[in-house]
Amino acid sequence: MKVIIVGGVAGGASTAARLRRLDESAQIILLERGGAVSYSNCGLPYYIGGVVQNRDDLLLQTPQSFWDRFHVEVRIFSEAVSVDPAAKTVRIRRTDSGEAYTESYDKLVLAPGAEPLVPPIPGGSNAYTLRTIEDAARIKEAAAAGGARKAVVIGGGFIGLEMAENLRKAGLDVVVAEGSDQLLPPLDPEMAAIAARELERNGIQVLLQNPVKEIRPSGGGYQVLCGSQSLPCDFAVMAIGVRPESTLAVQSGLKVNARKGIVVDEMLRTSAPDIFAAGDAVEKYHLVSREPVMLPLAGPANRQGRVIADNLSGMEHPFDGVIGSAVCKLFHVTAACTGLNEKTLKAMDRPYEKVYLSPSQHVGVYPGASPITMKLLFSPDGTVLGCQCIGEEGVDKRVDVISTVIKLRGSVSDLARLELCYAPPYSSPRDPVNYAGLIAENVLSGLSPIKHWHDLAERDQASSILVDVRTQEEYAHGHLEGSINIPVDELRDRIDSLPRNRELWIYCQVGLRGYIAQRMVMQLRPDQKVYNLSGGYRLLSIAGLLPEQKQNQ
């Protein structure tokens, strides 16, 4: 069997290595348009910022190492320019010499990946993009050039923010210009706002609702026109997203979707016989939304490469879909998510509930405890739909656990009852994951009816009252306007001071004392409506949702 693989990195290289482990007799040819066949694409920003100091450390395999270990023939600087599915041939052009030739195949694997999206604006080509090691080297050189002081990153997604952090670490003043009303699109706005505040604390200027219009040369540097802003800089990096690099597939007559993603079946076969496809260019099935999606992530690309190799070897393993787990480091905090966000659930008109919580990543008695802000989304029957999490430590661990439960179609009760590792440096007897499940269970069972931050704007002040059950000292440092302060430990003795004919909206710092107070009142006054504000005062504060914060922004 002769197999040609178009594209290296995650999907293509994993296909080649797995296939050789399964079939020693196969002839495997891997075509790579650039000069590196297998490298850490996700590590490129950290090379620019100096965290990864040696460029060669980014290389996972070289053409020679691939041959020595796997007897895979890697042809770098070799671009597949056309495919004839009927004749089962690939037309190949050498990008360094222009030489062209034709190669036959028994099986063809397309793993072309995704390319940076550059909008059709004047001067768009003046911005750097980041995809290859060569791209990273050019940006690193620009950042280190004599006199370079300011960079503009256009786009506030994962790649854009990783670029912003690392350019800042390289000593530059950095502005992030984002066209929408939030950073990190996989997160919901209130969670993304926490990430924005972390960037600002570390000296990065964040501009929202400022779509790029033009990049104009100016005095040895550039002027980036974004919305109403004109931003001077030494250079700009375009990071507004990616699109599938599917030109070869389209020209070959393969079926693609509206976004030009290559359509495959569960075995990752394309619409043409003996042609498979993997990676960022491929449409994938989302296990939670149950709809096809384009999801450019390294993990699914690697898994797809393995699935294709298995199927080429006759093992018949389907690719079971994606759930969208992703993580991003932002200076001192980590932001991660999995499953569906609230925006998507609303767009789907799918019933859901949510809870916010801010547990510490480990017990307070052990030094260094810090809170994790979590948002858990779940259906009315308790099925876990998604999670978002931001904090200094332990974020990826919790999101990984919840993503596993989502993959297994688990419920909030499963989260509540998971047996997870505990020792004081790492967690608590009840892990934050357990707390998320327990809180959600209480909401679904009716033990703890809740309100959310956005409900405050619509609250009928004539029929409801805000009750702050924190200490007097906490209340004095900031509280919701119009609230009354009755510390939870005094509530039993002072409950007669609360009106019986109004709804009680109780809140504390993060939600726990509010829940305790709520259960107390609900049992002492079973006919009164009592709500707990999910996430408490802390969520409003750190996400910039307090009325006075909005006025100052």
Side-chain angles (χ1 to χ4, degrees):
M1 179 174 62
K2 181 179 180 181
V3 180
I4 295 180
I5 302 171
V6 179
V9 194
S14 61
T15 301
R18 172 69 171 174
L19 181 58
R20 175 57 74 219
R21 292 194 295 272
L22 298 176
D23 187 348
E24 187 64 27
S25 66
Q27 181 185 0
I28 307 171
I29 300 172
L30 196 157
L31 306 176
E32 175 55 49
R33 180 173 54 193
V37 61
S38 181
Y39 60 92
S40 175
N41 185 281
C42 298
L44 296 179
Y46 302 100
Y47 170 64
I48 294 169
V51 178
V52 177
Q53 296 187 358
N54 190 336
R55 174 173 167 168
D56 289 344
D57 290 342
L58 296 168
L59 300 175
L60 306 177
Q61 291 282 354
T62 66
Q64 187 61 50
S65 68
F66 237 130
W67 176 258
D68 292 341
R69 178 161 297 179
F70 297 109
H71 268 221
V72 170
E73 182 184 350
V74 175
R75 300 179 187 175
I76 57 175
F77 303 115
S78 297
E79 179 179 15
V81 293
S82 66
V83 175
D84 186 337
K88 300 180 73 169
T89 58
V90 180
R91 187 68 175 168
I92 302 166
R93 181 180 64 87
R94 292 279 304 186
T95 58
D96 52 354
S97 66
E99 175 193 357
Y101 60 97
T102 298
E103 193 80 52
S104 64
Y105 66 84
D106 295 311
K107 305 290 183 181
L108 177 66
V109 179
L110 302 181
E115 60 184 346
L117 185 61
V118 178
I121 59 169
S125 61
N126 289 326
Y128 292 108
T129 57
L130 182 64
R131 184 186 186 188
T132 67
I133 291 180
E134 291 78 15
D135 293 335
R138 283 189 285 269
I139 298 173
K140 186 177 181 70
E141 183 179 354
R149 291 182 296 180
K150 189 169 186 177
V152 173
V153 176
I154 303 165
F158 284 94
I159 295 175
L161 297 193
E162 288 172 348
M163 278 299 311
E165 177 190 8
N166 281 281
L167 289 172
R168 182 69 179 144
K169 286 185 174 180
L172 278 70
D173 292 332
V174 181
V175 178
V176 173
E178 165 60 43
S180 70
D181 60 357
Q182 69 163 88
L183 302 177
L184 296 174
L187 274 61
D188 289 312
E190 73 280 13
M191 300 296 284
I194 302 172
R197 292 166 76 85
E198 175 67 13
L199 294 179
E200 291 167 342
R201 277 193 294 269
N202 286 276
I204 292 178
Q205 183 181 2
V206 177
L207 299 176
L208 301 178
Q209 296 180 300
N210 276 270
V212 60
K213 296 178 179 178
E214 182 178 356
I215 303 174
R216 182 185 302 165
S218 175
Y222 297 93
Q223 289 283 339
V224 179
L225 306 183
C226 293
S228 60
Q229 304 278 339
S230 179
L231 307 173
C233 63
D234 295 290
F235 64 92
V237 179
M238 188 74 69
I240 63 173
V242 296
R243 60 186 172 195
E245 191 168 304
S246 54
T247 302
L248 181 64
V250 172
Q251 293 176 346
S252 304
L254 304 184
K255 183 179 180 181
V256 296
N257 62 20
R259 297 179 60 186
K260 305 300 182 184
I262 303 171
V263 176
V264 294
D265 65 12
E266 64 178 3
M267 299 297 179
L268 302 179
R269 294 177 293 228
T270 70
S271 57
D274 299 315
I275 301 180
F276 295 74
D280 293 351
V282 172
E283 177 185 86
K284 303 167 185 68
Y285 175 77
H286 199 290
L287 290 171
V288 186
S289 70
R290 299 186 288 275
E291 295 179 352
V293 294
M294 298 302 299
L295 194 68
L297 292 171
N302 273 282
R303 286 195 291 124
Q304 286 185 319
R306 185 181 179 92
V307 166
I308 289 176
D310 288 355
N311 291 329
L312 290 175
S313 302
M315 297 175 70
E316 292 294 308
H317 284 168
F319 180 70
D320 56 358
V322 297
I323 56 177
S325 300
V327 65
C328 181
K329 176 185 176 299
L330 301 172
F331 294 99
H332 304 294
V333 305
T334 298
C337 61
T338 189
L340 299 181
N341 58 32
E342 187 174 3
K343 295 174 295 185
T344 302
L345 291 168
K346 283 183 176 179
M348 295 173 61
D349 197 25
R350 186 165 173 176
Y352 70 94
E353 183 53 277
K354 62 187 176 184
V355 293
Y356 299 92
L357 61 156
S358 295
S360 294
Q361 95 280 21
H362 60 62
V363 292
V365 68
Y366 190 86
S370 62
I372 298 173
T373 302
M374 302 177 67
K375 177 179 184 178
L376 182 71
L377 296 144
F378 49 96
S379 64
D381 68 359
T383 302
V384 182
L385 302 176
C387 176
Q388 298 159 47
C389 195
I390 298 181
E392 293 184 13
E393 293 182 12
V395 167
D396 54 333
K397 170 183 175 179
R398 274 70 192 204
V399 174
D400 281 343
V401 170
I402 292 173
S403 72
T404 304
V405 171
I406 293 175
K407 181 71 177 288
L408 298 175
R409 295 178 171 82
S411 69
V412 297
S413 295
D414 293 317
L415 296 181
R417 288 156 182 75
L418 285 175
E419 183 176 333
L420 302 173
C421 292
Y422 163 62
Y426 304 107
S427 183
S428 53
R430 282 181 178 168
D431 189 85
V433 169
N434 299 135
Y435 276 118
L438 290 166
I439 294 169
E441 271 192 327
N442 286 338
V443 170
L444 291 177
S445 68
L447 280 174
S448 180
I450 57 174
K451 293 291 185 181
H452 295 294
W453 59 270
H454 47 78
D455 295 322
L456 291 170
E458 301 177 359
R459 182 177 69 90
D460 183 356
Q461 298 185 30
S463 62
S464 64
I465 185 170
L466 292 170
V467 183
D468 187 323
V469 297
R470 298 175 300 161
T471 65
Q472 293 180 0
E473 291 77 13
E474 290 174 290
Y475 186 81
H477 279 96
H479 57 267
L480 296 179
E481 184 178 353
S483 63
I484 62 172
N485 179 219
I486 303 179
V488 62
D489 293 339
E490 302 175 16
L491 185 56
R492 284 187 181 87
D493 296 331
R494 297 174 58 185
I495 192 170
D496 288 340
S497 65
L498 294 175
R500 289 180 173 271
N501 60 347
R502 297 169 73 179
E503 294 179 354
L504 302 182
W505 291 32
I506 296 175
Y507 74 91
C508 64
Q509 188 68 7
V510 298
L512 176 58
R513 285 174 290 175
Y515 166 64
I516 294 170
Q518 178 188 40
R519 291 302 306 153
M520 189 186 305
V521 176
M522 287 179 70
Q523 293 177 81
L524 294 173
R525 294 182 177 180
D527 295 329
Q528 190 166 15
K529 290 185 177 180
V530 186
Y531 300 97
N532 187 21
L533 182 62
S534 184
Y537 189 83
R538 181 179 183 274
L539 175 67
L540 297 169
S541 178
I542 65 173
L545 299 170
L546 294 171
E548 60 268 24
Q549 290 177 319
K550 293 180 180 180
Q551 293 172 5
N552 294 332
Q553 289 177 351

